[in-house]
Amino acid sequence: MTQPIETDLVIVGAGMVGLTLAALLADSGLKIRILESREIEPQQALAWELSQREKGYDPRVSALTVASQQVLSVAGVWGKIQQMRLMPYRAMDVWDGEGTGQIRFDCTELHEPCLGHIVENRVTQAALTQQIAEQNNVEFSTGVEIVEMTEADADSQRVLTLNNGEQCRVRCVVAADGALSSTRRLAGIGMWEWDYGHHAIVTTVTTDKPNRATCWQRFTDDGPLAFLPLPEDGLSSIVWSTSPDHAKALMALDETEFCQALEQAFESRLGKVLHADQRFVFPLRQRHARQYVKAGFAAIGDAAHTIHPLAGQGVNLGLMDAAALAETLLDSLEKGVQWNSEFQLRHFQRARQSENLQMAATMEGFKQLFNSTEPLARLLRNSGMNLMNRFSPVKNHLVQQAMGLSGNLPRLARRPIKD
């Protein structure tokens, strides 16, 4: 019988979070292998992402924080993103569509150049793919899935059986294969999950007023509607979270009717909505893994948790996971301890699980607060927003945490202190 191929670290999933982890560990001395179920090869993937970029904007974008920018800089990727396409946003306007509450965050109040960057997911993906293709110790296997995974042995190692019949002995497996992670299920880790009762519609729209490098978010009883600025002044990426029935009705509209409905829902803040690209819709569920680690196993990103997109924190949380896991592994390697043991991997779990649960609870609280039609709840949320808008210390503290300038951040996500 053929002996299993030996490797140190297998990362399952070549999305943004999995590739970021690989890039952060590229100089660790670990032998790394990425498994991706898609058939496309890395260089073909890069060429495809770049060709799609030329055809228009990706409807899937992320509001990357300063902390995420730092992680991607350490991974050697941020410069590549800058050479492609990104949009720094300088302000954020949030208001209660059913009341008078509003709050504005502005980078000038923090003496920062911007609050963050809107980056198309395919641009980040292309930059990461290019970075990984330049590494010698990272093997990229495509069209490959794990069909069996043994329990960890005394050395915390596992044997993987792949769909091509190959067997691989691995010191640590990292699940980065999304919310429906088959790798997490093979590891025997369950999830807490529930339906938000929302579907999200995403697309790119053209308005007759400029986006003013501002993120806009209107809260309604049905859910939040966000306009995120793109590099061309009249373009924005939208995320419209609403009830499943309303989303179905909106998806059935023709382009003109949809633009009119969108303009009305957004209170014409950017004037007329002139055009909408193809629309996509997906259901929103909150999920959280009951544990992130076992011996020789860790789950990161959507494989460990998903939250409502109303604050745009999903990808940022995943990148913080990648940074925290990379730190845990690098620190263990430096100390010469068994880096793949459950005891060592629990350092990563302790660093991230409470942070992710706290963010999930905050998003659920926001959703419940703005979904309430009770007069007292409306009065409290409107009064609270207006009071916070006038009280700069509290407002600035809140936005600094959202930007990743403060709080319990992984070391690799902290911006260097200037001399």
Side-chain angles (χ1 to χ4, degrees), residues 66-68 70-71 74 320 323 327 404 409-415:
V66 173
S68 290
Q70 177 62 22
V71 170
V74 173
M320 295 307 103
E327 281 179 16
L409 294 169
R411 186 176 66 250
L412 295 176
R414 296 173 198 160
R415 193 162 62 178

Side-chain angles (χ1 to χ4, degrees), residues 160-212:
L160 311 180
T161 302
L162 308 183
N163 59 341
N164 60 5
E166 177 187 336
Q167 286 198 320
C168 183
R169 183 179 297 278
V170 185
R171 298 183 72 184
C172 188
V173 180
V174 177
D177 49 342
L180 302 179
S181 170
S182 60
T183 314
R184 184 195 63 237
R185 290 198 300 272
L186 286 170
I189 294 178
M191 300 285 282
W192 293 297
E193 62 179 296
W194 58 92
D195 198 321
Y196 277 119
H198 276 171
H199 284 193
I201 295 173
V202 297
T203 188
T204 302
V205 300
T206 306
T207 58
D208 68 351
K209 290 184 179 180
N211 57 48
R212 292 184 286 181

Side-chain angles (χ1 to χ4, degrees), residues 220-242:
T220 73
D221 290 344
D222 282 338
L225 168 60
F227 273 58
L228 308 174
L230 293 172
E232 295 180 49
D233 215 7
L235 293 184
S236 297
S237 178
I238 70 149
V239 184
W240 193 347
S241 302
T242 187

Side-chain angles (χ1 to χ4, degrees), residues 92-334:
M92 182 181 300
D93 275 2
V94 181
W95 72 101
D96 187 345
E98 308 303 322
T100 59
Q102 59 182 353
I103 187 168
R104 178 177 174 83
F105 303 100
D106 196 299
C107 65
T108 57
E109 296 179 28
L110 300 170
H111 307 290
E112 293 287 339
C114 64
L115 296 179
H117 294 81
I118 304 299
V119 185
E120 299 156 78
N121 288 4
R122 75 160 65 109
V123 169
T124 306
Q125 184 78 23
L128 282 161
T129 301
Q130 181 179 340
Q131 180 69 11
I132 293 303
E134 296 169 0
Q135 308 306 314
N136 294 323
N137 67 324
V138 181
E139 180 184 353
F140 205 124
S141 300
T142 60
V144 178
E145 298 178 73
I146 302 173
V147 294
E148 290 183 21
M149 179 166 61
T150 65
E151 293 291 328
D153 63 17
D155 295 320
S156 298
Q157 298 189 54
R158 296 169 180 269
V159 175
L160 311 180
T161 302
L162 308 183
N163 59 341
N164 60 5
E166 177 187 336
Q167 286 198 320
C168 183
R169 183 179 297 278
V170 185
R171 298 183 72 184
C172 188
V173 180
V174 177
D177 49 342
L180 302 179
S181 170
S182 60
T183 314
R184 184 195 63 237
R185 290 198 300 272
L186 286 170
I189 294 178
M191 300 285 282
W192 293 297
E193 62 179 296
W194 58 92
D195 198 321
Y196 277 119
H198 276 171
H199 284 193
I201 295 173
V202 297
T203 188
T204 302
V205 300
T206 306
T207 58
D208 68 351
K209 290 184 179 180
N211 57 48
R212 292 184 286 181
T214 298
C215 292
W216 313 77
Q217 189 153 36
R218 178 181 186 244
F219 283 95
T220 73
D221 290 344
D222 282 338
L225 168 60
F227 273 58
L228 308 174
L230 293 172
E232 295 180 49
D233 215 7
L235 293 184
S236 297
S237 178
I238 70 149
V239 184
W240 193 347
S241 302
T242 187
S243 67
D245 288 343
H246 189 211
K248 183 178 180 181
L250 290 171
M251 291 296 290
L253 299 176
D254 64 27
E255 182 188 341
T256 300
E257 293 169 333
F258 177 77
C259 288
Q260 291 172 346
L262 180 60
E263 182 183 322
Q264 181 179 4
F266 196 58
E267 299 179 346
S268 302
R269 287 287 175 110
L270 295 178
K272 289 188 174 298
V273 179
L274 305 173
H275 169 73
D277 285 354
Q278 182 181 356
R279 287 160 264 162
F280 300 88
V281 63
F282 51 91
L284 300 178
R285 292 184 67 82
Q286 180 161 307
R287 301 176 176 88
H288 210 104
R290 296 178 184 271
Q291 62 191 92
Y292 289 7
V293 302
K294 285 187 170 185
F297 178 86
I300 60 175
D302 284 357
H305 47 78
T306 61
I307 62 171
H308 198 289
L310 67 86
Q313 289 297 314
V315 170
N316 292 305
L317 293 180
L319 294 177
M320 295 307 103
D321 289 351
L325 181 55
E327 281 179 16
T328 296
L329 299 181
L330 291 170
D331 289 348
S332 297
L333 287 166
E334 184 177 352

